[in-house]
Amino acid sequence: EAQVTQNPRYLITVTGKKLTVTCSQNMNHEYMSWYRQDPGLGLRQIYYSMNVEVTDKGDVPEGYKVSRKEKRNFPLILESPSPNQTSLYFCASNGVRGGSGANVLTFGAGSRLTVL
Amino acid sequence: GQQLNQSPQSMFIQEGEDVSMNCTSSSIFNTWLWYKQDPGEGPVLLIALYKAGELTSNGRLTAQFGITRKDSFLNISASIPSDVGIYFCAGPPLRGATNKLIFGTGTLLAVQP
């Protein structure tokens, strides 16, 4: 089954304790991205990657890092989490470079993170 | 940057009722997408619109791409309990990464059996 898999689905941590949220897709997609969802704000892009070793900042990148060493994986790293990073995080992928299909993202099921 | 505003913020309806929600922007979009997020899941694409004035249906769902390219509408006819969820409009920014989407603030739909 074609899918985007995120782990963990739920995590409670404390301020300053480094954590990584993994994302893996089995569709051989070049494009991957991370969004965070907050009430009243919709989904906002954190980082994206157009291909292996190619990453760039989205709209809200502060406090996050990413890496793209392999095509299928795109982990989100919080080096020193803070309470304002408490949110619902989504990984997404797309395999179309241009044209109308370029905007049809496939999302993971989400990772709910709470930072105390 | 470009923003998308959705209304209403939430809706509480009875099963069988029709639903209308809309999405507006102060700037134009060349593509409008409607996603649905079921509780505990990620957003899933419902309808994609690529041309101003376009009207597209997907079962009981109908969406329209506004003529001005600054708005879009989603209608759900004869709602059922499984329509519950958050509905997001989205569109790619005119400038920036090709695959990026800007999302609206979402409309929460609750359906009472």
Side-chain angles (χ1 to χ4, degrees):
Chain A
E1 180 189 353
Q3 59 186 4
V4 177
T5 304
Q6 297 179 224
N7 280 296
R9 293 290 312 277
Y10 302 92
L11 179 63
I12 300 174
T13 190
V14 295
T15 299
K17 186 176 181 181
K18 180 180 177 180
L19 68 91
T20 299
V21 185
T22 63
C23 174
S24 180
Q25 50 92 6
N26 62 0
M27 296 167 281
N28 201 37
H29 285 172
E30 290 184 344
Y31 177 86
M32 298 183 75
S33 61
W34 277 101
Y35 286 81
R36 61 178 286 174
Q37 181 182 357
D38 301 291
L41 297 176
L43 285 84
R44 294 176 294 167
Q45 191 184 60
I46 304 170
Y47 266 94
Y48 67 94
S49 170
M50 299 298 288
N51 212 328
V52 175
E53 302 291 2
V54 181
T55 63
D56 208 345
K57 296 177 181 179
D59 296 320
V60 288
E62 294 76 22
Y64 305 95
K65 285 173 55 178
V66 293
S67 69
R68 188 90 182 272
K69 293 184 171 60
E70 307 164 285
K71 198 172 190 178
R72 63 182 293 124
N73 296 322
F74 190 44
L76 179 69
I77 303 157
L78 285 74
E79 292 273 3
S80 182
S82 61
N84 64 13
Q85 292 178 296
T86 292
S87 188
L88 179 58
Y89 292 86
F90 288 101
C91 181
S93 74
N94 180 293
V96 179
R97 273 190 173 271
S100 58
N103 310 119
V104 179
L105 301 180
T106 300
F107 285 87
S111 297
R112 185 168 289 283
L113 171 66
T114 301
V115 183
L116 302 175
Chain B
Q2 290 179 283
Q3 291 183 317
L4 294 174
N5 299 305
Q6 283 186 248
S7 66
Q9 209 170 12
S10 60
M11 304 178 75
F12 299 88
I13 62 172
Q14 296 284 331
E15 182 176 1
E17 288 184 28
D18 295 342
V19 171
S20 290
M21 60 187 79
N22 69 72
C23 187
T24 60
S25 174
S26 57
S27 55
I28 64 172
F29 280 81
N30 290 323
T31 297
W32 286 91
L33 305 168
W34 284 93
Y35 280 84
K36 182 195 176 193
Q37 182 182 11
D38 287 327
E41 299 293 330
V44 174
L45 182 69
L46 296 174
I47 291 179
L49 302 160
Y50 299 107
K51 188 177 177 182
E54 180 181 353
L55 185 72
T56 297
S57 293
N58 179 5
R60 294 177 296 105
L61 277 62
T62 302
Q64 184 160 25
F65 192 141
I67 288 291
T68 65
R69 294 198 282 162
K70 292 184 178 181
D71 57 12
S72 179
F73 304 87
L74 176 69
N75 296 319
I76 305 173
S77 62
S79 59
I80 59 178
S82 63
D83 289 334
V84 163
I86 304 176
Y87 291 79
F88 291 102
C89 61
L94 291 179
R95 295 183 183 82
T98 304
N99 302 74
K100 178 181 178 178
L101 287 180
I102 295 172
F103 281 84
T105 48
T107 293
L108 172 66
L109 177 64
V111 180
Q112 174 133 15

